[in-house]
Amino acid sequence: MTNIRYLLDENTPHAVRDQLLLREPEMQVLVIGDEMSPALGAPDPVILEWIERNGYILISRNRRTIPRHLREHLAAGHHVPGIFLLRRRFSLGQLIEDLLLIRRAS
């Protein structure tokens, strides 16, 4: 199986992690603030460095500051495994299905 790992930002409902793990218990899904993830309130550049270093795809609702910090991160020669920016109104069920599909197709 694939090594796709997801990091949910602190504003993404924890139900996303719970449902992903219910469907595929072996998945690696963390939420910011978990023991092995960036701390709650961590600035965007710290989160971007963390996902680069640890190979996680960020799931975020932060359309305000993440794009700017991502541009700066990439301009400095860094990379990220991926970032999915959620729409303001998104379907939890569709998000979960999409994340599972991405994982299975990778």
Side-chain angles (χ1 to χ4, degrees):
M1 184 57 67
T2 184
N3 197 24
I4 294 286
R5 299 185 259 186
Y6 295 119
L7 174 68
L8 282 57
D9 77 1
E10 52 200 80
N11 297 311
T12 301
H14 290 202
V16 173
R17 174 186 52 192
D18 299 343
Q19 288 299 311
L20 287 171
L21 293 176
L22 184 66
R23 302 268 298 276
E24 294 198 21
E26 71 282 358
M27 282 184 75
Q28 294 179 327
V29 183
L30 295 175
V31 176
I32 291 178
D34 285 348
E35 184 176 325
M36 297 181 64
S37 72
L40 283 172
D44 294 347
V46 169
I47 295 168
L48 294 173
E49 290 171 12
W50 189 92
I51 64 171
E52 177 179 15
R53 189 173 52 253
N54 293 284
Y56 278 73
I57 296 171
L58 177 64
I59 311 300
S60 178
R61 297 173 76 179
N62 182 352
R63 292 177 164 270
R64 191 172 54 84
T65 61
I66 282 282
R68 175 173 49 90
H69 288 119
L70 177 60
R71 279 191 301 277
E72 294 168 0
H73 186 79
L74 297 174
H78 296 282
H79 71 279
V80 296
I83 298 176
F84 298 128
L85 292 176
L86 304 177
R87 294 182 185 164
R88 192 171 285 188
R89 294 183 190 148
F90 65 93
S91 159
L92 232 76
Q94 188 61 55
L95 173 61
I96 291 160
E97 290 301 321
D98 290 348
L99 293 175
L100 289 169
L101 177 64
I102 291 164
R103 180 172 189 271
R104 291 172 183 151
S106 296

